[in-house]
Amino acid sequence: MKTKLLFILALLPLVTLSCKKDESEELKGYLNGALTLDQTTFMLDKAAPYIELHPKGVYHPKGKKLGCYTYLSGVSGTNDTTYFTTKGPAYTSGAPVKREGLEPEKGFPDELATYSLFVVVYPEDDEDYYSTSTSCTVVLLDRNLSVPELSLLPSLGNVTDCCGNKYNYITVNGVDWMKSNLAADRTTTDPDAIIGHAPYDSEIAGKVFGRLYSYEEALSACPAGWSLPTDAQWKALAESVAGRSYEGEHPDFTGVAPKMMINATVNGDKMWEYWPEMGEISSDIFNSFSAIPVDRMNVAVPDSYRMVMDYACFWTADSCADDSSCAYFRYIYEREPDVKVARGDKTSLGLSVRCVREH
């Protein structure tokens, strides 16, 4: 008993020291505020990738200097792989942090993929405070390679818009339909006026996925000789694809959506998620309308746009009979096999555009 007591007493100093060490570690402080970025998703042109971040919202409680660095990890594939790290200058709230080019030490990998970019702000020469971090998503894109299912096919007819963008088209019952979303940022009538909004304000994303237009912009955006399709033309297309007729003035096109979609990928990742109720999505790159999910935008608040990839939405040329401020649009939702109709505000709603040409 005595021996056991002596052993316990001998351990007390070690326990006391251990407690003091833990207590010291618990006293380590945190930077004030919350680290944020202006955007959480960036789409960059792989030919010349450049990103400028403006981290803000955090500061040292004692006003001491902070440092900042970024590191890039893969989102698809091996998530825990850090490719490289770059340190920036002394950090002040809102100071830009840049990555550029395909050089590993300061830019991006030479690979079309989706990455997580982490931004870390830390107290310089002060071990009494923890660092803090946040992250954003970076997608490297190529106009012709990122979505191979929409690449220009030499065996199909093609049309060029006033900005030099080329589109394949298919012909259905004497009407030519563009097979990809319109990407023009100008019109033939007013080449100085910028129209449409590129997803995430990225010009390469606008070329890959198409731009989002208000109704008024959509009316004048198509190439010369082409126009925004009426809902009657949409109905004729759906009836031809479905092999059946649809009754009514603005009916939903039941069961035809999978045939009008395309089983597309972005840098190898599927755009449309599979849902049993939708059925098999078309993989026919030669004959399909090839709808992709770019979603929609409030053009009055473009920074609020998020490419969730669950809707494909297209303007028709038809105004609402009972409300001059709205027009009809067609949309596909990833979990429903119908091409549905809805009404949208002509000014604030931004949607994709497909152009048609009648023979």
Side-chain angles (χ1 to χ4, degrees):
M1 183 71 176
K2 185 176 181 180
T3 303
K4 185 176 181 181
L5 180 59
L6 290 172
F7 178 73
I8 293 173
L9 291 173
L11 286 176
L12 284 176
L14 296 176
V15 173
T16 303
L17 288 174
S18 177
C19 289
K20 286 183 177 179
K21 184 178 180 182
D22 291 342
E23 184 179 348
S24 174
E25 288 181 350
E26 291 175 0
L27 292 176
K28 198 168 183 178
Y30 295 89
L31 300 178
N32 286 347
L35 183 61
T36 61
L37 301 173
D38 292 333
Q39 282 182 235
T40 57
T41 301
F42 296 85
M43 294 187 171
L44 309 181
D45 190 343
K46 179 179 170 290
Y50 174 84
I51 189 171
E52 183 174 301
L53 303 172
H54 294 266
K56 56 188 177 183
V58 66
Y59 60 95
H60 197 292
K62 297 181 180 180
K64 293 185 178 181
K65 185 183 295 185
L66 299 176
C68 181
Y69 67 89
T70 64
Y71 66 93
L72 197 64
S73 294
V75 172
S76 56
T78 307
N79 289 347
D80 59 354
T81 300
T82 298
Y83 287 99
F84 28 75
T85 298
T86 180
K87 284 197 174 185
Y91 170 78
T92 57
S93 186
V97 179
K98 304 174 183 179
R99 297 189 79 102
E100 182 177 8
L102 298 175
E103 299 179 23
E105 290 304 318
K106 60 180 181 179
F108 299 89
D110 188 7
E111 181 181 357
L112 293 172
T114 300
Y115 302 94
S116 281
L117 179 60
F118 291 85
V119 180
V120 182
V121 172
Y122 61 95
E124 288 190 348
D125 303 321
D126 190 346
E127 297 181 356
D128 292 335
Y129 287 85
Y130 292 107
S131 62
T132 186
S133 65
T134 189
S135 66
C136 60
T137 299
V138 177
V139 185
L140 295 190
L141 295 172
D142 179 274
R143 172 66 181 87
N144 298 311
L145 301 178
S146 283
V147 185
E149 297 81 5
L150 296 181
S151 295
L152 204 64
L153 299 171
S155 60
L156 295 180
N158 67 79
V159 58
T160 304
D161 66 25
C162 64
C163 302
N165 303 303
K166 288 189 176 182
Y167 313 85
N168 279 139
Y169 61 83
I170 56 174
T171 304
V172 180
N173 294 332
V175 178
D176 296 331
W177 283 83
M178 283 185 175
K179 275 180 72 333
S180 54
N181 295 340
L182 190 67
D185 61 5
R186 290 174 174 80
T187 70
T188 53
T189 57
D190 189 358
D192 295 325
I194 301 298
I195 61 169
H197 295 263
Y200 299 109
D201 198 28
S202 163
E203 290 307 308
I204 184 63
K207 291 183 180 297
V208 172
F209 305 114
R211 296 173 75 85
L212 299 171
Y213 304 87
S214 70
Y215 174 79
E216 298 299 338
E217 291 174 328
L219 286 176
S220 60
C222 292
W226 293 69
S227 61
L228 191 65
T230 65
D231 201 50
Q233 289 173 315
W234 277 96
K235 182 180 176 183
L237 171 66
E239 289 178 338
S240 178
V241 173
R244 53 159 294 185
S245 61
Y246 295 103
E247 301 301 324
E249 188 176 4
H250 296 289
D252 289 338
F253 308 144
T254 55
V256 76
K259 294 181 179 180
M260 295 181 67
M261 301 155 70
I262 191 68
N263 195 16
T265 57
V266 180
N267 295 343
D269 297 326
K270 286 187 177 297
M271 297 189 72
W272 290 109
E273 187 175 351
Y274 172 75
W275 294 96
E277 53 266 45
M278 173 60 77
E280 185 177 355
I281 296 173
S282 174
S283 296
D284 185 353
I285 62 173
F286 295 96
N287 301 296
S288 171
F289 176 80
S290 302
I292 59 172
V294 185
D295 294 295
R296 62 277 193 211
M297 172 190 289
N298 181 347
V299 297
V301 192
D303 290 344
S304 66
Y305 173 78
R306 297 292 179 270
M307 193 173 177
V308 183
M309 291 192 181
D310 53 3
Y311 282 92
C313 306
F314 307 92
W315 282 118
T316 79
D318 294 23
S319 294
C320 303
D322 59 345
D323 185 353
S324 61
S325 68
C326 88
Y328 288 96
F329 67 92
R330 288 286 168 181
Y331 73 91
I332 297 171
Y333 175 50
E334 65 176 359
R335 299 187 64 170
E336 298 178 354
D338 307 330
V339 177
K340 296 195 170 184
V341 67
R343 294 151 56 109
D345 184 78
K346 292 180 176 180
T347 303
S348 63
L349 186 60
L351 304 178
S352 298
V353 166
R354 294 293 180 93
C355 302
V356 295
R357 178 178 63 181
E358 289 198 346
H359 291 189

